[in-house]
Amino acid sequence: MSDPRLGVTVTHRRYVPYSHAHYAGNLVDGAYALGLFGDVATEVCIRTDGDEGLFASYSDVQFRAPMKAGDVLEVTATVTRVGTRSRTIDFAARVVCRGRPDKGESAAEVCDPPIVAVTATGTVVVPPAA
């Protein structure tokens, strides 16, 4: 019998403010996505186990495309393995909207298709079931 927690997916969206630009060209450091992965993992643990859980490790992180100030990021987490106390989660951060200061101060556009910026696989742990 399959565990109902397998395949649970949680999605967050976040606007990247210009105050987070860290490099030339309004680039945002990759650690920004890792922080968002922690946030979405917390909600996964709450939904699947009734506890915030703890992030134990990443087994893979791939920085695939730049993230920039003015982007709207869609961050997803999907449970791919359920152990006794551990959960393996696949993460993706996609740019779904991007600021276009070259077209005007507040210009922006929808990215269709979204740009996959960061992917990762991580492990969270939760307390033993009561």
Side-chain angles (χ1 to χ4, degrees):
M1 185 156 118
S2 181
D3 191 302
R5 296 170 290 190
L6 274 174
V8 167
T9 299
V10 173
T11 301
H12 290 184
R13 284 197 175 184
R14 178 86 45 92
Y15 174 78
V16 182
Y18 280 83
S19 62
H20 286 299
H22 192 72
Y23 300 105
N26 287 321
L27 292 177
V28 176
D29 63 75
Y32 188 80
L34 300 183
L36 298 178
F37 290 166
D39 292 344
V40 75
T42 298
E43 184 178 343
V44 166
C45 290
I46 292 167
R47 289 183 176 280
T48 58
D49 293 279
D51 189 273
E52 291 184 356
L54 293 171
F55 213 118
S57 68
Y58 286 106
S59 59
D60 183 54
V61 178
Q62 299 286 320
F63 299 102
R64 299 175 179 270
M67 296 175 295
K68 298 181 177 186
D71 285 351
V72 175
L73 299 178
E74 180 180 83
V75 180
T76 59
T78 302
V79 177
T80 58
R81 189 190 65 77
V82 175
T84 304
R85 292 189 52 221
S86 65
R87 315 286 177 254
T88 302
I89 302 174
D90 284 347
F91 298 94
R94 294 175 180 85
V95 179
V96 296
C97 299
R98 174 153 280 170
R100 290 296 307 268
D102 58 311
K103 292 186 174 187
E105 261 185 57
S106 60
E109 64 187 10
V110 173
C111 298
D112 187 19
I115 301 163
V116 178
V118 184
T119 59
T121 300
T123 300
V124 296
V125 293
V126 295

Coordinates of all heavy atoms in Angstrom, one line a residue, residues 84-120:
T84 N 10.9 6.2 8.1 CA 10.3 6.2 9.4 C 10.2 7.6 10.0 O 9.2 8.0 10.5 CB 11.1 5.2 10.4 OG1 11.2 4.0 9.8 CG2 10.4 5.2 11.7
R85 N 11.4 8.3 9.9 CA 11.4 9.7 10.4 C 11.9 10.7 9.4 O 11.9 11.9 9.6 CB 12.3 9.8 11.7 CG 11.7 9.0 12.9 CD 12.5 9.3 14.1 NE 12.6 10.8 14.3 CZ 13.8 11.3 14.8 NH1 14.8 10.6 15.1 NH2 13.8 12.6 15.0
S86 N 12.4 10.2 8.3 CA 12.9 11.1 7.2 C 12.0 11.1 6.0 O 11.3 10.2 5.7 CB 14.3 10.6 6.8 OG 14.3 9.4 6.2
R87 N 12.1 12.3 5.3 CA 11.4 12.5 4.1 C 12.3 13.0 3.1 O 13.1 14.0 3.4 CB 10.2 13.5 4.3 CG 9.4 13.3 5.5 CD 8.4 12.1 5.4 NE 7.7 11.9 6.7 CZ 8.0 11.0 7.6 NH1 8.9 10.1 7.4 NH2 7.3 10.8 8.7
T88 N 12.4 12.5 1.9 CA 13.1 13.1 0.8 C 12.2 13.9 0.0 O 11.1 13.5 -0.3 CB 13.8 11.9 -0.1 OG1 14.6 11.1 0.7 CG2 14.6 12.5 -1.2
I89 N 12.7 15.1 -0.4 CA 11.9 16.1 -1.0 C 12.7 16.7 -2.2 O 13.8 17.0 -2.1 CB 11.5 17.3 -0.1 CG1 10.8 16.8 1.1 CG2 10.7 18.3 -0.8 CD1 10.5 17.8 2.2
D90 N 12.0 16.7 -3.4 CA 12.5 17.4 -4.6 C 12.0 18.8 -4.6 O 10.8 19.1 -4.4 CB 12.1 16.7 -5.9 CG 12.9 15.4 -6.1 OD1 13.9 15.2 -5.4 OD2 12.5 14.6 -7.0
F91 N 13.0 19.8 -4.9 CA 12.6 21.2 -4.9 C 12.9 21.8 -6.2 O 13.8 21.3 -7.0 CB 13.5 21.9 -3.9 CG 13.4 21.5 -2.4 CD1 14.2 20.5 -1.9 CD2 12.4 22.1 -1.7 CE1 14.0 20.1 -0.6 CE2 12.2 21.7 -0.3 CZ 13.0 20.7 0.2
A92 N 12.2 22.8 -6.6 CA 12.4 23.6 -7.8 C 12.0 25.1 -7.5 O 11.0 25.3 -6.9 CB 11.7 23.1 -9.0
A93 N 12.9 26.0 -8.0 CA 12.6 27.4 -7.9 C 12.5 27.9 -9.4 O 13.5 27.7 -10.1 CB 13.6 28.2 -7.2
R94 N 11.4 28.4 -9.8 CA 11.2 28.8 -11.2 C 10.8 30.3 -11.2 O 10.1 30.8 -10.3 CB 10.0 28.1 -11.8 CG 10.3 26.6 -12.0 CD 9.0 25.9 -12.5 NE 9.2 24.5 -12.7 CZ 9.1 23.6 -11.7 NH1 8.7 23.9 -10.5 NH2 9.4 22.3 -12.0
V95 N 11.4 31.0 -12.1 CA 11.1 32.4 -12.3 C 9.8 32.5 -13.2 O 9.8 32.0 -14.3 CB 12.2 33.2 -13.1 CG1 11.8 34.6 -13.3 CG2 13.5 33.1 -12.3
V96 N 8.7 33.0 -12.6 CA 7.4 33.0 -13.3 C 7.1 34.4 -13.9 O 6.3 34.6 -14.8 CB 6.3 32.5 -12.5 CG1 6.5 31.0 -12.2 CG2 6.1 33.3 -11.2
C97 N 7.7 35.4 -13.3 CA 7.6 36.8 -13.8 C 9.0 37.5 -13.6 O 9.7 37.1 -12.6 CB 6.6 37.6 -13.0 SG 4.9 37.0 -13.1
R98 N 9.3 38.4 -14.5 CA 10.6 39.1 -14.4 C 10.5 40.6 -14.6 O 9.8 40.9 -15.6 CB 11.6 38.5 -15.4 CG 13.0 39.2 -15.4 CD 14.1 38.3 -15.9 NE 14.5 37.5 -14.7 CZ 15.4 36.5 -14.8 NH1 15.8 36.1 -16.0 NH2 15.7 35.8 -13.8
G99 N 11.1 41.4 -13.8 CA 11.1 42.8 -14.0 C 11.9 43.1 -15.3 O 12.8 42.4 -15.6
R100 N 11.4 44.1 -16.0 CA 12.1 44.6 -17.2 C 12.4 46.1 -17.2 O 11.8 46.9 -17.8 CB 11.1 44.3 -18.4 CG 10.9 42.8 -18.7 CD 12.2 42.1 -19.2 NE 12.9 42.8 -20.3 CZ 12.7 42.6 -21.6 NH1 11.8 41.6 -22.0 NH2 13.3 43.3 -22.5
P101 N 13.4 46.4 -16.3 CA 13.7 47.9 -16.2 C 14.2 48.5 -17.5 O 14.1 49.7 -17.7 CB 14.8 47.9 -15.1 CG 15.3 46.5 -15.1 CD 14.2 45.6 -15.5
D102 N 14.6 47.7 -18.5 CA 15.0 48.2 -19.8 C 13.8 48.7 -20.6 O 13.9 49.5 -21.5 CB 15.7 47.1 -20.6 CG 14.8 45.9 -20.8 OD1 14.2 45.4 -19.8 OD2 14.7 45.4 -22.0
K103 N 12.5 48.3 -20.2 CA 11.3 48.8 -20.8 C 10.6 49.9 -20.0 O 9.6 50.4 -20.5 CB 10.4 47.6 -21.1 CG 10.9 46.6 -22.1 CD 9.9 45.6 -22.4 CE 10.3 44.7 -23.5 NZ 9.3 43.7 -23.9
G104 N 11.1 50.2 -18.8 CA 10.4 51.2 -18.0 C 10.7 50.8 -16.5 O 10.9 49.7 -16.2
E105 N 10.6 51.8 -15.7 CA 10.9 51.7 -14.3 C 10.2 50.5 -13.6 O 10.7 49.8 -12.8 CB 10.6 53.0 -13.5 CG 11.8 53.8 -13.2 CD 11.5 55.0 -12.4 OE1 10.9 54.8 -11.3 OE2 11.7 56.1 -12.8
S106 N 8.9 50.4 -13.9 CA 8.1 49.3 -13.2 C 7.6 48.3 -14.2 O 6.7 47.5 -13.9 CB 6.9 50.0 -12.5 OG 6.1 50.6 -13.4
A107 N 8.2 48.2 -15.4 CA 7.8 47.2 -16.4 C 8.2 45.8 -15.9 O 9.2 45.6 -15.3 CB 8.4 47.5 -17.7
A108 N 7.4 44.8 -16.3 CA 7.6 43.4 -16.0 C 6.9 42.6 -17.0 O 6.0 43.0 -17.7 CB 7.2 43.1 -14.5
E109 N 7.3 41.3 -17.0 CA 6.6 40.4 -17.9 C 6.5 39.0 -17.3 O 7.2 38.6 -16.4 CB 7.3 40.3 -19.3 CG 8.7 39.7 -19.2 CD 9.4 39.8 -20.5 OE1 9.0 40.5 -21.4 OE2 10.5 39.2 -20.6
V110 N 5.5 38.2 -17.8 CA 5.3 36.8 -17.4 C 6.3 36.0 -18.2 O 6.4 36.2 -19.4 CB 3.9 36.4 -17.6 CG1 3.7 34.9 -17.4 CG2 2.9 37.2 -16.8
C111 N 6.9 35.1 -17.5 CA 7.9 34.1 -18.2 C 7.1 32.9 -18.6 O 6.7 32.1 -17.7 CB 9.0 33.8 -17.3 SG 10.0 35.2 -16.8
D112 N 6.9 32.7 -19.9 CA 6.1 31.6 -20.4 C 6.9 30.9 -21.5 O 7.0 31.4 -22.6 CB 4.8 32.0 -20.9 CG 3.9 30.9 -21.3 OD1 4.1 29.8 -20.8 OD2 2.9 31.1 -22.1
P113 N 7.5 29.8 -21.2 CA 7.4 29.0 -19.9 C 8.3 29.6 -18.8 O 9.2 30.4 -19.1 CB 7.9 27.6 -20.3 CG 9.0 27.9 -21.4 CD 8.4 29.1 -22.1
P114 N 8.0 29.2 -17.6 CA 8.8 29.7 -16.4 C 10.3 29.2 -16.6 O 10.6 28.2 -17.3 CB 8.2 29.0 -15.2 CG 6.8 28.7 -15.6 CD 6.9 28.4 -17.1
I115 N 11.2 30.0 -16.1 CA 12.6 29.7 -16.1 C 13.0 28.9 -14.9 O 12.8 29.4 -13.8 CB 13.4 31.0 -16.2 CG1 13.0 31.8 -17.4 CG2 14.9 30.7 -16.2 CD1 13.5 33.3 -17.3
V116 N 13.5 27.7 -15.1 CA 14.0 26.8 -13.9 C 15.3 27.4 -13.5 O 16.3 27.4 -14.2 CB 14.1 25.4 -14.3 CG1 14.6 24.6 -13.1 CG2 12.8 24.8 -14.8
A117 N 15.3 28.0 -12.3 CA 16.5 28.7 -11.8 C 17.3 27.8 -10.9 O 18.6 27.7 -11.0 CB 16.1 29.9 -11.0
V118 N 16.7 27.0 -10.0 CA 17.4 26.2 -9.0 C 16.6 24.9 -8.8 O 15.4 25.0 -8.7 CB 17.6 26.9 -7.7 CG1 18.5 26.0 -6.7 CG2 18.3 28.2 -7.8
T119 N 17.3 23.8 -8.8 CA 16.7 22.5 -8.4 C 17.5 21.9 -7.3 O 18.7 22.2 -7.2 CB 16.5 21.5 -9.5 OG1 17.9 21.2 -10.1 CG2 15.6 22.0 -10.6
A120 N 16.9 21.1 -6.5 CA 17.6 20.4 -5.3 C 16.8 19.2 -4.9 O 15.6 19.1 -5.1 CB 17.8 21.4 -4.2

